[in-house]
Amino acid sequence: MGIQERKERERERRRQQIMVAAKRVFSVKGFSKATMEDIAKEAELSPGTLYLYFKNKDELYASLSLRILQYLLIRLEHVNAEPDLTPDQMIESLKETMYDVYEFDPLILVNMFHLQSSEALKNLTPELLSEIRDLSQNSLNTMAKIFEKGINNGAFVEKNPLVFSDIVWALFSGIVLWEESKRIFNQESNSLKETLETAFEIFAQGIKKMERR
Amino acid sequence: MGIQERKERERERRRQQIMVAAKRVFSVKGFSKATMEDIAKEAELSPGTLYLYFKNKDELYASLSLRILQYLLIRLEHVNAEPDLTPDQMIESLKETMYDVYEFDPLILVNMFHLQSSEALKNLTPELLSEIRDLSQNSLNTMAKIFEKGINNGAFVEKNPLVFSDIVWALFSGIVLWEESKRIFNQESNSLKETLETAFEIFAQGIKKMERR
Amino acid sequence: MGIQERKERERERRRQQIMVAAKRVFSVKGFSKATMEDIAKEAELSPGTLYLYFKNKDELYASLSLRILQYLLIRLEHVNAEPDLTPDQMIESLKETMYDVYEFDPLILVNMFHLQSSEALKNLTPELLSEIRDLSQNSLNTMAKIFEKGINNGAFVEKNPLVFSDIVWALFSGIVLWEESKRIFNQESNSLKETLETAFEIFAQGIKKMERR
Amino acid sequence: MGIQERKERERERRRQQIMVAAKRVFSVKGFSKATMEDIAKEAELSPGTLYLYFKNKDELYASLSLRILQYLLIRLEHVNAEPDLTPDQMIESLKETMYDVYEFDPLILVNMFHLQSSEALKNLTPELLSEIRDLSQNSLNTMAKIFEKGINNGAFVEKNPLVFSDIVWALFSGIVLWEESKRIFNQESNSLKETLETAFEIFAQGIKKMERR
DNA sequence: TATGAATGAGCATTCATTCAT
DNA sequence: CATGAATGAATGCTCATTCAT
C-alpha cells in the first residue's frame, strides 16, 4: 500500500468520523439549529478542522444524504439480483429494504427533505449535486426494474414501473415523517414497523393481478 | 355591524395579508432562510407590524399550518357526511380531498414538517400548539371513521381504521414531498396528479375485500 | 373661572394622572425597561396621548424628579421659616423632611440618578432643565441657610454651610440607595428609618460645638 | 510556565482589555445607551469577540462592579490589619480608602446602582451574582470589625458596628453620586475631596466618645 | 383632543467561516 | 494537518414616536 493511499485512507476515516458526529447532531437539533461548533465538539475536533474535509455546512449535510442513498442503492441492487421472486416475496423484500434504510439512519432521512430547499442547493459543489442526483436516479431505476419483472411475468397489473417506484419511495418517506411527527405531537401512534407492514401488505394486494377464472 | 366587529374584521384581513406573504416567502426560501424582513417587504408592511399580529416567527409559521389543517378537516368532514358511498367512491373522494389540499397550499404542506423539530415547538403559545394538535387529531379521527364504515359494511378487509388513516396521510405527504424533491433535482417526474391517482387506485384495490363466489 | 382656566386645570389633571402612572411603572421596572405603552396602560390612556402632555420619555421622567424637588423645597422652606430651633431640633427637623421625601416617592428618588447621564439630558427642553437646576439650587441654598443660623449662633462648628448641605443631601441619597440595593441582594438590612436616625444623630453630634463647664 | 498557564494569562489580558473599554463607554453613555458595538470599537475588537469573554451585556457590566468591590475589600482588610490605630487615624484611613476607590473607578461606582434593578439581575450567572453578594457582604463585615475595635476600646459611642458601616458606605456613595450629578447640572460644586474630608471629620466627631474629666 | 395601528431605526446576540500560529 | 480565537455580517425582535382618523 503506497504512502499516498495510506493518506487517502486516513483522510476518509476522518471524514467518516465527522459525518457520524454530524448525523447525531443534526438528528437531535435539525439542520438550522445545529451549529458547526456542536458538530466539532461531538467529533472531538475543532471547528476549523471540519472545513478541511467539507466545504461548508450545507455540503457536510448533503454528504450525509449521499451516504444513505448509497446504502439504499446497494440494497435495491441486491433485491434486483435475486431471481425467481414471487410478487409477495418481492414486496416483502422491498419492505425489508426500506426498514433497514430506516434503521441505518432514521433521523437523517426525516431531515433529508431539507435538500428540497433550492436555497440549500446553492452552496453545494456541482460534483456533489450530480452525485446525489445520479444516486437517486439509479435507485429509482433499479426499483423500476424490479417492478418491471413483476409486470412482465403477469404478476402485477400493468402500470408504469416508474410510477410504482415513486409510490414505494413516497410511501416510505411519508410513513417515516408521519410517525415522527406524531411522536413529537404526543399523539398515540402505531409503531413504524406495524404501519409499514400494513402499508406494504395493502400495496402488494393492490398491484397483484387477481386471477379470474 | 358594530365598530368592535368592524375592527376585528380589519384585523383578520391584516393577518391574512401577512400570512399570504409569509406563505410565498417560506415557500421559496424555507423557514430558516426566510427573514422577517423578507416577509414584511412581501406584505408591504414594516417588520414591526408583523409582531402586532404574530408573537414571533415560529408562531407565524405555525399559523400557516393551522390554516391548511383547518381546510383539511372541513373537507374530511364533508366526505364523512356523505351517505351511501361505495368503496371506490370513498377512495375517490379522499383522493380529491388530498388533491385539493395540495392545490390550496402546495408548498407550505411541503414545509409543514418543519414543525417536527421539537425546538420549533418551544416558541409556540400553548394555545396554538394545542389547536394544531386537536386539528390533526380530529382529521385523523374523521378519516378513521370513514374507513370504519367501509370495514363495517364488509367492503374493506378488517384492519385498524386508524392505521388506514395513517397510511393515507403518509402516502399523500410522501408523494407531495417526493414530487417536489424530484422537481428540484430536475429529474423527470410524473405529474403529481397521475402518481396520486395510481397510488390511491392501488390502495383501494388493496383494502377491498374481493368477493369470490 | 374663565373657560381658558378651566381647560388649563383639566390639562394639569391629565398630566398628574400620567405622572402617577409613570411613577408606578418606573418604580417597578426602572427607566429603561419601562415602556411608554406600560405607562399608557397604567394610566388607562393610549400611547399617543402621552405625547400630548410630555415631549418624550425623558421629559416625562424628568418631570417626576421635578415634582419631588418641589416637594423637598417646600418642606425645607418650612423648616427655615421656623424660628428658634435648637441645633438638635433643627437636625431632627431635617431628618423628618428627608424621611417624608422618601415616603412621598421612595423609588423615583432611587432612580433620580438616571438624570446624571448626560445623554439623558439631551432630550430635555431647556426650560425643564433649568427648572430642575433652579429647584435643586434653591433647595441647597435653603438648607445652607438653615445651617448658617446654627453656625451664627455658635451652636455649630464653623464650616461652610453649603458643604453641610451637600453632606446632608448626599447622606440621605446614599442611605436610600444603599438600603434599596441591600434589599435587592437579600442581605439583612437595618430599616431605612433606623439607619437614618443613627446617621443624623451622628451628624448632629459632629457639628455641635460641645460646650462644657 | 506551562502552555495552559500562558493561555489563561492571555485570556485574562483580553478580559481586562474589554473591561477597560466597557468602563469608558458605560461611564460616558450609561448602561442602556451604551451598545455592545460601542464597546467593541473602543476595545478595537469585533462585537462577536466580546461574547467570547462575557456571556452578555449585563454580565460584562456586573464584572466591572465586581472589580471595584474586590479592590474595596482588599483595602478594607488592609485597614483592619493595622494594629493600634487611634480613632482619628482609623477614620482617616477609611476616608483614604474611599477616596482611592473613587480614583480607581470613579464613574462605574456611580453606575453601580444599575444593579439595583432586579431585572438586571436576571441575566447574571448565579456564580457572578453570589460573588458580588459575598464581596459586598465581606466588605461590610470588615468595615464593621474596624468599628468594633473602636467601640471595644471605648473610643466610640456604643452603637451597632454594622450600622456604622452602612452609614460610611452610604455616605461615600451618596457623596460621589451627588458630586457627579452636580457636575452634570453645571452647579458650582465643592470638590469631592473637600466634601469627603468634611464629612468624615463630622462623622469622626459624632462617633467619638467625648472625654470628660 | 384622543386614539392606537404602523413605523423603522436600533440593538443584542449568533454562528459560519477564516487564518495566524 | 490541526487549532480555536477572532471576525462581522446577518437577523429576530423591541419600542419610542408619529399620524391618519
Side-chain angles (χ1 to χ4, degrees), chain B residues 14-26 31 34-40 43 45 47 49-67 108 114-115 120 123-125 128 132:
Chain B
R14 262 278 192 277
R15 274 181 66 92
Q16 290 306 323
Q17 173 192 359
I18 293 170
M19 283 170 76
V20 166
K23 181 171 114 181
R24 262 202 290 265
V25 175
F26 281 136
F31 179 79
T35 72
M36 291 303 265
E37 202 180 338
D38 289 339
I39 297 170
L45 289 169
T49 307
L50 268 48
Y51 289 86
L52 296 178
Y53 295 90
F54 298 91
K55 211 186 76 194
N56 55 38
K57 193 182 172 188
D58 279 310
E59 190 119 351
L60 170 53
Y61 194 91
S63 301
L64 293 176
S65 306
L66 199 64
R67 224 167 51 141
I108 285 309
H114 163 76
L115 286 179
N123 293 323
L124 302 185
T125 53
L128 184 55
I132 290 178

Side-chain angles (χ1 to χ4, degrees), chain A residues 10 16 46 50 54 56 62 73-74 85 93 125 129 151 169 173 175-176:
Chain A
E10 189 53 43
Q16 290 306 323
S46 82
L50 268 49
F54 297 91
N56 55 39
L73 182 55
I74 288 169
L85 292 178
S93 202
T125 54
L129 193 55
I151 295 170
W169 181 248
S173 313
I175 287 170
V176 171

